[in-house]
Amino acid sequence: MKTERKIPKSSWTKVVVRKWLNMKSKSEEFYSDHIVDGMGRGERRRKSCSDDGSCVVVPEELSESWLMETNDGIIQRPILEKEASTVTDLQNLRMFVGTWNVGGKSPHDGLNLEDWLNSTAPADIYVLGFQEIVPLNAGNVLGPEDSGPAAKWLSLIRQSLNNNTNITNNTPNSERKSSSPSFHDLHQQQSNLKPRISFSDLIKLENELEREDWERLLSMNDDGSPSPNCMSNRYNSSSPEQNRYCLAASKQMVGLFLCIWTRTDLYRHISNLKVSCVGTGIMGYLGNKGSISISMTLHHKTFCFVCTHLASGEKEGDEVKRNSDVMEILKKTKFSHSRIIGKPLPPDNILDHDKIIWLGDLNYRLASGCEDTYELVNNSNWEVLLEKDQLRIEQKAGRVFKGWKEGNIYFAPTYKYLYNSDHYVVQTCTSKEKRRTPAWCDRILWKGEGLKQICYVRGESKFSDHRPVYSLFSVNNLIEKYQSEKEYFTTL
């Protein structure tokens, strides 16, 4: 039986001092499943651990394994014939992004994540962000990190993603039921202001669509008009191995937790994995609030995933604190990279990435003065309620997230629910201190070309006082630079 390790008082003091002074203590380390061979000379290494507790060594630049040094000391990329055969398979990928404030509760072994993660049409990349995986009390904020809940979440996610039922459906279109819904049926369900439809329901509908209907959906602009960039469906595969998932990286900061999972065969195309943490909580430094950001390169396109928990509160003016947190995160997030001869440095800040996803409990509430909030909630009139949404107001005014995109919201406010209930706290609670106006605290935003949101929905798990929110994106334009570089090196 595993015993809890006791921490000497002297060590506890050091941990507290580091946190109070905002000193970096292994802040760039992250957990991963992989050891990469063929590391370059003079390379720094980073220690990393997987969710089963075993430690591995991950090189700082994961792309080093396909760099070679010539006799004159110049580092070049070798010509890999195998790459040419797989390049077309990576033109369009699907990326699942989810965020969930779990209210300080550690998951139990029987917690079912399959309705959230498992479908008959799995994504290629899963980006999962959590808030409050531990209670935000003084012991967790000031003391040593409690990594137990994070390990449990990783174990449950791994089990769900690699479940045997998570295999792509290869049934030919001609053998599918004639009663399958049309493209227009799916589009109507996503546009309805009063749906109670889950993400897995949408994916099941997707798989029943004819191939040409699904291509039409992906090729549409936000206004429903055809897009010139018609995308093809490339997700049927005869190899079960392509549907197995590995942990590319995960990181915890107090209650924040961010993990990225990829298809095992896709992992070799990922490089330059980096992590940066920013605390914006107590005293403006501690990690009870703040961000975890993971930077990576996928086929020479740079990605940044930012998981955040911003300042709470629903008093007038609290939105200014949240705006300030966003500015601090953008300013303080830095990714350190080693220079490699003949290779451009990856981005060292959030906004310089090609594609950025910002997810988390952003804590924006409904602006004061909305007297009929509860009536609007009961009538599922989200359109009118969203006119009072602080995030949309602040964004429209140019005070935060200028130029960022967010999908249309056709789901109920995600906060604050009674535990294990479909009732908001305000509907049953008599204590004034505990009253919370329902709000869309949990959000997913994005920035950059080549990202198209397929759907934006919430889950209905009653595990927390928040409902989880997730989105599915199609990702394209990954290989233009790769192809041009390949042509260049072929001519040398």
Side-chain angles (χ1 to χ4, degrees):
M1 186 171 69
K2 194 172 181 180
T3 57
E4 186 176 348
R5 180 172 60 92
K6 291 185 178 180
I7 300 175
K9 289 184 178 180
S10 58
S11 298
W12 176 279
T13 304
K14 290 179 181 177
V15 170
V16 173
V17 169
R18 284 195 184 100
K19 289 195 173 186
W20 273 98
L21 297 180
N22 199 31
M23 296 172 64
K24 291 185 177 180
S25 176
K26 301 182 180 180
S27 62
E28 295 182 358
E29 294 183 3
F30 60 87
Y31 294 173
S32 177
D33 283 346
H34 288 267
I35 302 175
V36 178
D37 299 321
M39 292 177 290
R41 294 187 303 174
E43 175 181 46
R44 284 195 303 115
R45 295 186 173 193
R46 184 192 296 111
K47 187 178 180 182
S48 178
C49 300
S50 65
D51 58 298
D52 59 4
S54 60
C55 292
V56 297
V57 176
V58 178
E60 181 182 10
E61 302 296 340
L62 299 180
S63 58
E64 292 290 318
S65 58
W66 69 290
L67 294 177
M68 65 180 182
E69 188 171 2
T70 62
N71 292 332
D72 57 1
I74 298 176
I75 297 177
Q76 294 182 349
R77 300 181 189 277
I79 305 303
L80 300 179
E81 296 300 328
K82 190 174 182 180
E83 295 292 334
S85 64
T86 61
V87 83
T88 56
D89 296 331
L90 293 162
Q91 288 182 355
N92 300 310
L93 299 176
R94 279 193 288 199
M95 179 167 64
F96 178 104
V97 179
T99 179
W100 195 3
N101 184 320
V102 294
K105 295 176 63 180
S106 182
H108 51 82
D109 293 338
L111 183 63
N112 184 4
L113 299 183
E114 292 193 3
D115 286 342
W116 180 24
L117 301 176
N118 199 4
S119 71
T120 54
D124 303 287
I125 301 170
Y126 287 82
V127 179
L128 307 176
F130 297 85
Q131 303 82 46
E132 296 190 53
I133 64 167
V134 298
L136 299 183
N137 54 39
N140 286 323
V141 175
L142 299 176
E145 206 113 77
D146 179 6
S147 60
K152 290 180 181 179
W153 283 113
L154 287 177
S155 180
L156 286 170
I157 294 167
R158 187 188 303 278
Q159 180 180 355
S160 181
L161 290 182
N162 290 310
N163 190 298
N164 290 332
T165 62
N166 198 10
I167 302 296
T168 303
N169 183 1
N170 292 316
T171 304
N173 289 336
S174 60
E175 297 180 15
R176 293 179 182 174
K177 296 180 180 179
S178 59
S179 60
S180 59
S182 67
F183 159 77
H184 301 286
D185 294 333
L186 176 58
H187 185 69
Q188 181 63 32
Q189 282 185 289
Q190 285 188 292
S191 300
N192 192 328
L193 286 179
K194 300 181 183 180
R196 298 286 288 185
I197 185 168
S198 71
F199 178 81
S200 58
D201 291 333
L202 289 173
I203 294 301
K204 289 174 183 176
L205 285 173
E206 171 205 332
N207 282 313
E208 294 173 356
L209 289 172
E210 295 295 331
R211 176 186 293 269
E212 57 268 25
D213 284 338
W214 183 237
E215 289 178 353
R216 283 184 61 197
L217 175 61
L218 291 180
S219 64
M220 287 183 63
N221 294 318
D222 292 337
D223 61 0
S225 61
S227 167
N229 299 319
C230 186
M231 300 168 59
S232 61
N233 187 351
R234 301 180 181 273
Y235 304 106
N236 286 340
S237 170
S238 59
S239 171
E241 181 61 25
Q242 290 191 356
N243 296 298
R244 314 309 290 175
Y245 296 88
C246 64
L247 177 65
S250 71
K251 181 66 178 178
Q252 178 182 356
M253 181 184 75
V254 189
L256 272 173
F257 183 56
L258 176 62
C259 56
I260 299 174
W261 301 78
T262 71
R263 288 193 342 247
T264 302
D265 64 309
L266 182 64
Y267 181 83
R268 65 191 180 94
H269 300 291
I270 293 176
S271 61
N272 303 317
L273 274 165
K274 290 290 182 178
V275 171
S276 177
C277 298
V278 174
T280 61
I282 300 171
M283 302 295 292
Y285 291 102
L286 297 188
N288 57 305
K289 295 291 191 294
S291 67
I292 299 173
S293 300
I294 296 182
S295 170
M296 74 180 197
T297 302
L298 176 59
H299 262 296
H300 298 275
K301 291 295 182 179
T302 55
F303 289 74
C304 188
F305 306 105
V306 187
C307 177
T308 59
H309 193 182
L310 305 184
S312 61
E314 59 179 41
K315 298 190 301 294
E316 185 175 354
D318 283 343
E319 68 275 14
V320 177
K321 299 177 185 176
R322 295 184 264 277
N323 294 350
S324 177
D325 282 355
V326 172
M327 296 302 107
E328 284 294 294
I329 290 166
L330 289 172
K331 181 175 71 173
K332 293 182 179 179
T333 299
K334 298 294 180 184
F335 304 102
S336 60
H337 296 277
S338 299
R339 179 171 293 279
I340 299 176
I341 299 173
K343 182 182 176 184
L345 278 176
D348 67 351
N349 63 73
I350 292 172
L351 293 178
D352 282 348
H353 288 75
D354 296 319
K355 306 174 197 296
I356 314 166
I357 303 285
W358 191 298
L359 61 144
D361 180 356
L362 308 192
N363 254 323
Y364 286 96
R365 311 299 175 90
L366 296 181
S368 58
C370 189
E371 303 297 335
D372 54 349
T373 296
Y374 312 119
E375 181 180 349
L376 292 171
V377 168
N378 289 333
N379 293 331
S380 301
N381 196 339
W382 316 137
E383 189 174 26
V384 174
L385 267 180
L386 283 164
E387 294 175 1
K388 295 289 185 178
D389 176 65
Q390 288 180 343
L391 177 55
R392 294 197 169 185
I393 294 171
E394 296 300 299
Q395 191 175 15
K396 187 176 181 179
R399 291 188 286 265
V400 72
F401 288 118
K402 187 176 182 179
W404 291 69
K405 298 178 183 178
E406 184 185 18
N408 293 326
I409 294 177
Y410 299 126
F411 51 84
T414 56
Y415 174 84
K416 176 180 172 76
Y417 282 91
L418 291 172
Y419 285 106
N420 198 30
S421 170
D422 283 325
H423 296 290
Y424 290 104
V425 167
V426 71
Q427 293 174 302
T428 58
C429 185
T430 57
S431 172
K432 186 176 180 180
E433 288 74 23
K434 294 182 180 180
R435 291 175 67 88
R436 294 290 185 274
T437 303
W440 286 276
C441 291
D442 309 280
R443 313 288 275 267
I444 299 172
L445 296 87
W446 77 93
K447 188 178 180 68
E449 299 298 323
L451 287 173
K452 184 175 181 61
Q453 189 178 62
I454 298 172
C455 63
Y456 187 30
V457 295
R458 73 170 216 172
E460 298 304 328
S461 172
K462 302 173 185 177
F463 177 77
S464 168
D465 56 350
H466 289 248
R467 293 295 189 260
V469 171
Y470 26 93
S471 179
L472 186 68
F473 291 90
S474 64
V475 185
N476 58 16
N477 299 333
L478 289 176
I479 59 174
E480 301 170 357
K481 186 175 178 182
Y482 170 78
Q483 287 175 320
S484 62
E485 286 192 359
K486 191 171 183 63
E487 292 172 2
Y488 170 77
F489 284 111
T490 304
T491 60
L492 293 179

